[in-house]
Amino acid sequence: MAIRVMLVDDQVLLRTGFRMVLAAQPDMEVVAEAGDGAEAIEILRATAVDVVLMDVRMPRLDGVEATRRICAQPDPPKVLILTTFDLDEYAFSGLKAGASGFMLKDVPPAELLSAIRSVHSGDAVVAPSTTRRLLDRFSPMLPSSEKEPRNKHVQKLTEREREVMLLVAQGLSNGEIAARLVLSEATVKTHVGRILTKLSLRDRVQVVVLAYETGLVRAGGGAG
């Protein structure tokens, strides 16, 4: 089955360009388009979508708030934030809102297509190390209002799971974590899966965000 994609951007020309790129792919189909976040949410009520390409700066309802509302729904589509500038506050806010990653608007077509496929398969597009740079820069400006209750969720983790979570938050891959803890890569993958399940997180990027929000990792990369 083709990946069902929705394009959300107030620039018609940009949506047209993305649609042409995606339409040439045998495994993708653009099933909906919207000019702002409010229209996107309305369309999603009646349209099945797998991946949303979401602009951030739009009239009526911006992409960050739209992402937050979409990701709060049961079984939501994956959201890829489209941003003009690398490591800006919109990308940070989008990740906090539940997006699986962000892409620059001038990304080469091959990278965009790869990102859509990765997000659809359950992977996060933004590397944890990139997310850490975002958080180091912007987390002091955007304090979490959910620190205490989310801290209680983290306490559900076993000592080993907490150890793995800290290493994920520091940007290490499964292979690097396995080497650090002298475990097999399969075991690390199992631990990461349990962490995501226990904390109700969608991917590794959200693990990094939560580690900062709860103080497990501080700006600069040190453990809390």
Side-chain angles (χ1 to χ4, degrees):
M1 179 184 291
I3 301 171
R4 299 165 296 190
V5 180
M6 181 180 194
L7 306 176
V8 185
D9 197 296
D10 59 338
Q11 297 182 44
V12 177
L13 189 60
L14 196 66
R15 294 205 311 266
T16 300
F18 282 144
R19 186 172 65 247
M20 290 174 63
V21 171
L22 270 58
Q25 304 304 306
D27 62 337
M28 294 185 192
E29 178 185 7
V30 176
V31 296
E33 295 185 33
D36 60 63
E39 185 182 4
I41 291 171
E42 186 65 29
I43 290 172
L44 282 170
R45 292 194 178 106
T47 307
V49 174
D50 299 313
V51 178
V52 178
L53 294 185
M54 179 76 75
D55 187 23
V56 285
R57 307 181 196 194
M58 295 180 293
R60 289 211 299 166
L61 187 68
D62 67 41
V64 172
E65 181 57 30
T67 296
R68 184 175 292 110
R69 296 184 190 182
I70 289 169
C71 292
Q73 298 299 313
D75 194 25
K78 303 294 178 65
V79 178
L80 260 178
I81 293 287
L82 296 173
T83 182
T84 306
F85 303 104
D86 190 15
L87 299 184
D88 68 11
E89 69 274 18
Y90 294 99
F92 174 86
S93 300
L95 293 176
K96 285 193 62 167
S100 295
F102 71 91
M103 304 289 294
L104 295 179
K105 281 191 174 182
D106 60 356
V107 63
E111 289 187 25
L112 175 66
L113 297 171
S114 176
I116 292 171
R117 292 184 180 105
S118 293
V119 165
H120 180 250
S121 69
D123 292 332
V125 170
V126 185
S129 57
T130 304
T131 308
R132 273 190 52 207
R133 286 191 288 131
L134 270 173
L135 292 164
D136 283 348
R137 182 171 171 184
F138 294 112
S139 57
M141 297 156 45
L142 295 168
S144 170
S145 61
E146 303 179 7
K147 183 171 181 177
E148 286 309 314
R150 298 202 81 178
N151 246 324
K152 291 177 182 176
H153 288 307
V154 173
Q155 291 171 6
K156 297 177 182 177
L157 301 179
T158 65
E159 185 175 346
R160 176 62 86 186
E161 288 165 353
R162 183 184 172 101
E163 198 172 11
V164 170
M165 179 180 178
L166 285 172
L167 294 176
V168 169
Q170 290 171 37
L172 275 66
S173 68
N174 284 354
E176 291 168 336
I177 295 172
R180 180 78 63 89
L181 299 180
V182 196
L183 298 171
S184 72
E185 203 164 332
T187 299
V188 172
K189 186 174 182 180
T190 298
H191 283 311
V192 171
R194 287 174 180 163
I195 291 166
L196 295 177
T197 299
K198 286 184 178 181
L199 302 182
S200 299
L201 301 176
R202 297 180 69 184
D203 53 46
R204 296 169 75 97
V205 168
Q206 292 193 353
V207 171
V208 185
V209 173
L210 179 59
Y212 273 75
E213 286 182 338
T214 57
L216 291 177
V217 174
R218 296 173 182 152

